[in-house]
Amino acid sequence: MSTAQHPPGASRPGGRTARTRQAVLDAVFEELGEGGYAALTMERIAQRSGVHVATVYRRWRTPEGLVCELMADLSAEIPLPDTGTLRGDLRALGRSIAAFYTEPRYCGLLDAVVSAAARRPEAADVLRQFFDQRLRLAGSMVTRAAERGELPAGAEPDEVLAALGAPFYYRLLIARRPVDLRLADCAAEAAWAAARAGAFAPAGGGGDTGTGSAGNAEGGR
């Protein structure tokens, strides 16, 4: 998974640079698991990774920069599907998100960053950047669906994907309960139905699902 602009330190050359990068990110993950976000420092990361602290500062500048890169790396483990229909794509992505967050360390990383974002503006920027990046990448599913005529004109990709993701983060961060496949399937079905109904089209235009291509593309599937 790639984007046009990476956060600091996000280039991925081979050789020693790649090994250094991986050692540092592994150290960040381990530090978060042991001490949480509040205890994360560049010095502790350098000590655990065996990388000189000056190198860590030069490449990433702040713990927030490191966390952003780590979260971007981990999110790459959630594949972006292309099943041929938006309904299938949303279902597959929802199930992948559910599987991802069954790993307690990934839940811990999310929880730590969200908690920090409530207290520190730089952490809030990291969290916003992470989700903005994921929404941009996953938005290709909605764009394809619109091109196939599955959706009303003008459906906003980020709003469709936000509708899919919101139930997961409510469950994890508010209700404090685990996610499961039933949640994934319900979230996908709700997001798909809302998108087809024109809920995410601009106000005053594109909300007519009618009986044309958008109304017939998937039928009762």
Side-chain angles (χ1 to χ4, degrees), residues 90-113:
L90 291 172
R91 182 183 177 92
L93 180 58
R95 285 180 163 241
S96 293
I97 294 171
F100 182 81
Y101 282 119
T102 58
E103 167 56 63
R105 291 177 299 171
Y106 296 165
C107 294
L109 173 60
L110 174 68
D111 197 37
V113 177

mmCIF file of all heavy atoms in Angstrom, residues 90-113:
data_model
loop_
_atom_site.group_PDB
_atom_site.id
_atom_site.type_symbol
_atom_site.label_atom_id
_atom_site.label_comp_id
_atom_site.label_asym_id
_atom_site.label_seq_id
_atom_site.Cartn_x
_atom_site.Cartn_y
_atom_site.Cartn_z
ATOM 1 N N LEU A 90 -17.467 -4.150 0.676
ATOM 2 C CA LEU A 90 -17.694 -3.679 2.040
ATOM 3 C C LEU A 90 -17.726 -4.848 3.022
ATOM 4 O O LEU A 90 -17.170 -4.755 4.125
ATOM 5 C CB LEU A 90 -19.001 -2.892 2.118
ATOM 6 C CG LEU A 90 -19.008 -1.531 1.400
ATOM 7 C CD1 LEU A 90 -20.424 -0.950 1.391
ATOM 8 C CD2 LEU A 90 -18.040 -0.551 2.046
ATOM 9 N N ARG A 91 -18.333 -5.921 2.611
ATOM 10 C CA ARG A 91 -18.393 -7.101 3.488
ATOM 11 C C ARG A 91 -16.989 -7.670 3.716
ATOM 12 O O ARG A 91 -16.610 -7.989 4.848
ATOM 13 C CB ARG A 91 -19.299 -8.163 2.867
ATOM 14 C CG ARG A 91 -19.465 -9.427 3.718
ATOM 15 C CD ARG A 91 -20.333 -10.435 2.975
ATOM 16 N NE ARG A 91 -20.477 -11.675 3.698
ATOM 17 C CZ ARG A 91 -21.445 -11.955 4.550
ATOM 18 N NH1 ARG A 91 -22.376 -11.044 4.787
ATOM 19 N NH2 ARG A 91 -21.505 -13.116 5.162
ATOM 20 N N ALA A 92 -16.211 -7.782 2.640
ATOM 21 C CA ALA A 92 -14.860 -8.331 2.770
ATOM 22 C C ALA A 92 -13.973 -7.412 3.606
ATOM 23 O O ALA A 92 -13.201 -7.877 4.461
ATOM 24 C CB ALA A 92 -14.252 -8.542 1.383
ATOM 25 N N LEU A 93 -14.072 -6.106 3.381
ATOM 26 C CA LEU A 93 -13.261 -5.175 4.161
ATOM 27 C C LEU A 93 -13.675 -5.180 5.623
ATOM 28 O O LEU A 93 -12.825 -5.180 6.522
ATOM 29 C CB LEU A 93 -13.386 -3.765 3.585
ATOM 30 C CG LEU A 93 -12.583 -2.669 4.302
ATOM 31 C CD1 LEU A 93 -11.096 -3.010 4.330
ATOM 32 C CD2 LEU A 93 -12.812 -1.320 3.651
ATOM 33 N N GLY A 94 -14.970 -5.212 5.874
ATOM 34 C CA GLY A 94 -15.438 -5.265 7.252
ATOM 35 C C GLY A 94 -14.926 -6.496 7.992
ATOM 36 O O GLY A 94 -14.501 -6.406 9.153
ATOM 37 N N ARG A 95 -14.940 -7.631 7.320
ATOM 38 C CA ARG A 95 -14.436 -8.852 7.956
ATOM 39 C C ARG A 95 -12.926 -8.786 8.196
ATOM 40 O O ARG A 95 -12.422 -9.314 9.204
ATOM 41 C CB ARG A 95 -14.802 -10.064 7.105
ATOM 42 C CG ARG A 95 -16.271 -10.435 7.218
ATOM 43 C CD ARG A 95 -16.680 -11.629 6.385
ATOM 44 N NE ARG A 95 -17.956 -12.142 6.842
ATOM 45 C CZ ARG A 95 -18.164 -13.368 7.325
ATOM 46 N NH1 ARG A 95 -17.159 -14.212 7.389
ATOM 47 N NH2 ARG A 95 -19.357 -13.747 7.730
ATOM 48 N N SER A 96 -12.198 -8.125 7.297
ATOM 49 C CA SER A 96 -10.759 -7.967 7.496
ATOM 50 C C SER A 96 -10.463 -7.046 8.677
ATOM 51 O O SER A 96 -9.538 -7.284 9.449
ATOM 52 C CB SER A 96 -10.107 -7.411 6.227
ATOM 53 O OG SER A 96 -10.162 -8.339 5.168
ATOM 54 N N ILE A 97 -11.253 -5.988 8.816
ATOM 55 C CA ILE A 97 -11.078 -5.094 9.964
ATOM 56 C C ILE A 97 -11.352 -5.838 11.264
ATOM 57 O O ILE A 97 -10.619 -5.709 12.249
ATOM 58 C CB ILE A 97 -12.005 -3.874 9.834
ATOM 59 C CG1 ILE A 97 -11.591 -3.009 8.640
ATOM 60 C CG2 ILE A 97 -11.987 -3.042 11.112
ATOM 61 C CD1 ILE A 97 -12.579 -1.893 8.312
ATOM 62 N N ALA A 98 -12.415 -6.645 11.262
ATOM 63 C CA ALA A 98 -12.745 -7.413 12.464
ATOM 64 C C ALA A 98 -11.611 -8.367 12.830
ATOM 65 O O ALA A 98 -11.231 -8.483 14.001
ATOM 66 C CB ALA A 98 -14.046 -8.182 12.254
ATOM 67 N N ALA A 99 -11.062 -9.038 11.821
ATOM 68 C CA ALA A 99 -9.958 -9.968 12.086
ATOM 69 C C ALA A 99 -8.736 -9.225 12.618
ATOM 70 O O ALA A 99 -8.044 -9.700 13.522
ATOM 71 C CB ALA A 99 -9.608 -10.725 10.802
ATOM 72 N N PHE A 100 -8.468 -8.049 12.071
ATOM 73 C CA PHE A 100 -7.325 -7.248 12.505
ATOM 74 C C PHE A 100 -7.439 -6.904 13.987
ATOM 75 O O PHE A 100 -6.476 -7.044 14.750
ATOM 76 C CB PHE A 100 -7.266 -5.974 11.662
ATOM 77 C CG PHE A 100 -6.114 -5.068 11.949
ATOM 78 C CD1 PHE A 100 -4.862 -5.314 11.404
ATOM 79 C CD2 PHE A 100 -6.276 -3.953 12.749
ATOM 80 C CE1 PHE A 100 -3.796 -4.467 11.653
ATOM 81 C CE2 PHE A 100 -5.214 -3.093 13.008
ATOM 82 C CZ PHE A 100 -3.972 -3.355 12.452
ATOM 83 N N TYR A 101 -8.612 -6.471 14.398
ATOM 84 C CA TYR A 101 -8.767 -6.008 15.773
ATOM 85 C C TYR A 101 -9.054 -7.127 16.772
ATOM 86 O O TYR A 101 -9.307 -6.849 17.944
ATOM 87 C CB TYR A 101 -9.839 -4.929 15.850
ATOM 88 C CG TYR A 101 -9.334 -3.584 15.378
ATOM 89 C CD1 TYR A 101 -9.904 -2.942 14.281
ATOM 90 C CD2 TYR A 101 -8.260 -2.967 16.016
ATOM 91 C CE1 TYR A 101 -9.420 -1.725 13.844
ATOM 92 C CE2 TYR A 101 -7.774 -1.753 15.576
ATOM 93 C CZ TYR A 101 -8.352 -1.132 14.496
ATOM 94 O OH TYR A 101 -7.870 0.071 14.060
ATOM 95 N N THR A 102 -8.994 -8.364 16.338
ATOM 96 C CA THR A 102 -8.998 -9.444 17.324
ATOM 97 C C THR A 102 -7.619 -9.612 17.951
ATOM 98 O O THR A 102 -7.486 -10.313 18.959
ATOM 99 C CB THR A 102 -9.433 -10.783 16.695
ATOM 100 O OG1 THR A 102 -8.548 -11.111 15.612
ATOM 101 C CG2 THR A 102 -10.856 -10.709 16.187
ATOM 102 N N GLU A 103 -6.594 -8.991 17.373
ATOM 103 C CA GLU A 103 -5.245 -9.005 17.939
ATOM 104 C C GLU A 103 -5.167 -7.951 19.050
ATOM 105 O O GLU A 103 -5.291 -6.754 18.782
ATOM 106 C CB GLU A 103 -4.221 -8.706 16.843
ATOM 107 C CG GLU A 103 -2.825 -8.393 17.333
ATOM 108 C CD GLU A 103 -2.251 -9.481 18.216
ATOM 109 O OE1 GLU A 103 -2.081 -10.612 17.717
ATOM 110 O OE2 GLU A 103 -1.990 -9.200 19.415
ATOM 111 N N PRO A 104 -5.001 -8.362 20.310
ATOM 112 C CA PRO A 104 -5.033 -7.399 21.422
ATOM 113 C C PRO A 104 -4.010 -6.275 21.289
ATOM 114 O O PRO A 104 -4.279 -5.139 21.691
ATOM 115 C CB PRO A 104 -4.737 -8.279 22.652
ATOM 116 C CG PRO A 104 -5.191 -9.641 22.254
ATOM 117 C CD PRO A 104 -4.882 -9.756 20.783
ATOM 118 N N ARG A 105 -2.835 -6.557 20.723
ATOM 119 C CA ARG A 105 -1.829 -5.499 20.615
ATOM 120 C C ARG A 105 -2.286 -4.400 19.669
ATOM 121 O O ARG A 105 -1.989 -3.222 19.878
ATOM 122 C CB ARG A 105 -0.501 -6.085 20.131
ATOM 123 C CG ARG A 105 0.181 -6.992 21.138
ATOM 124 C CD ARG A 105 1.455 -7.570 20.540
ATOM 125 N NE ARG A 105 1.153 -8.362 19.350
ATOM 126 C CZ ARG A 105 2.089 -8.838 18.527
ATOM 127 N NH1 ARG A 105 3.358 -8.591 18.758
ATOM 128 N NH2 ARG A 105 1.735 -9.563 17.480
ATOM 129 N N TYR A 106 -3.024 -4.759 18.612
ATOM 130 C CA TYR A 106 -3.509 -3.746 17.688
ATOM 131 C C TYR A 106 -4.588 -2.897 18.358
ATOM 132 O O TYR A 106 -4.644 -1.674 18.159
ATOM 133 C CB TYR A 106 -4.054 -4.385 16.424
ATOM 134 C CG TYR A 106 -3.024 -5.135 15.608
ATOM 135 C CD1 TYR A 106 -3.403 -6.015 14.615
ATOM 136 C CD2 TYR A 106 -1.652 -4.962 15.840
ATOM 137 C CE1 TYR A 106 -2.467 -6.697 13.852
ATOM 138 C CE2 TYR A 106 -0.713 -5.640 15.096
ATOM 139 C CZ TYR A 106 -1.121 -6.520 14.111
ATOM 140 O OH TYR A 106 -0.183 -7.190 13.370
ATOM 141 N N CYS A 107 -5.436 -3.521 19.138
ATOM 142 C CA CYS A 107 -6.427 -2.758 19.900
ATOM 143 C C CYS A 107 -5.729 -1.827 20.886
ATOM 144 O O CYS A 107 -6.145 -0.681 21.083
ATOM 145 C CB CYS A 107 -7.359 -3.701 20.652
ATOM 146 S SG CYS A 107 -8.407 -4.712 19.591
ATOM 147 N N GLY A 108 -4.665 -2.319 21.503
ATOM 148 C CA GLY A 108 -3.929 -1.496 22.453
ATOM 149 C C GLY A 108 -3.292 -0.296 21.801
ATOM 150 O O GLY A 108 -3.261 0.803 22.373
ATOM 151 N N LEU A 109 -2.751 -0.473 20.612
ATOM 152 C CA LEU A 109 -2.148 0.638 19.885
ATOM 153 C C LEU A 109 -3.204 1.690 19.560
ATOM 154 O O LEU A 109 -3.001 2.888 19.789
ATOM 155 C CB LEU A 109 -1.498 0.131 18.599
ATOM 156 C CG LEU A 109 -0.963 1.187 17.630
ATOM 157 C CD1 LEU A 109 0.105 2.041 18.295
ATOM 158 C CD2 LEU A 109 -0.411 0.523 16.373
ATOM 159 N N LEU A 110 -4.340 1.262 19.043
ATOM 160 C CA LEU A 110 -5.414 2.194 18.741
ATOM 161 C C LEU A 110 -5.870 2.919 19.998
ATOM 162 O O LEU A 110 -6.020 4.149 20.012
ATOM 163 C CB LEU A 110 -6.590 1.438 18.117
ATOM 164 C CG LEU A 110 -7.850 2.268 17.869
ATOM 165 C CD1 LEU A 110 -7.616 3.298 16.779
ATOM 166 C CD2 LEU A 110 -9.016 1.350 17.508
ATOM 167 N N ASP A 111 -6.066 2.198 21.062
ATOM 168 C CA ASP A 111 -6.542 2.783 22.310
ATOM 169 C C ASP A 111 -5.554 3.813 22.843
ATOM 170 O O ASP A 111 -5.936 4.901 23.291
ATOM 171 C CB ASP A 111 -6.759 1.669 23.341
ATOM 172 C CG ASP A 111 -7.632 2.110 24.495
ATOM 173 O OD1 ASP A 111 -8.586 2.871 24.266
ATOM 174 O OD2 ASP A 111 -7.353 1.695 25.631
ATOM 175 N N ALA A 112 -4.266 3.489 22.766
ATOM 176 C CA ALA A 112 -3.245 4.402 23.277
ATOM 177 C C ALA A 112 -3.212 5.701 22.494
ATOM 178 O O ALA A 112 -3.127 6.795 23.063
ATOM 179 C CB ALA A 112 -1.874 3.723 23.227
ATOM 180 N N VAL A 113 -3.282 5.605 21.180
ATOM 181 C CA VAL A 113 -3.205 6.807 20.357
ATOM 182 C C VAL A 113 -4.460 7.657 20.518
ATOM 183 O O VAL A 113 -4.392 8.889 20.586
ATOM 184 C CB VAL A 113 -2.973 6.434 18.886
ATOM 185 C CG1 VAL A 113 -2.978 7.673 18.011
ATOM 186 C CG2 VAL A 113 -1.641 5.714 18.740
#
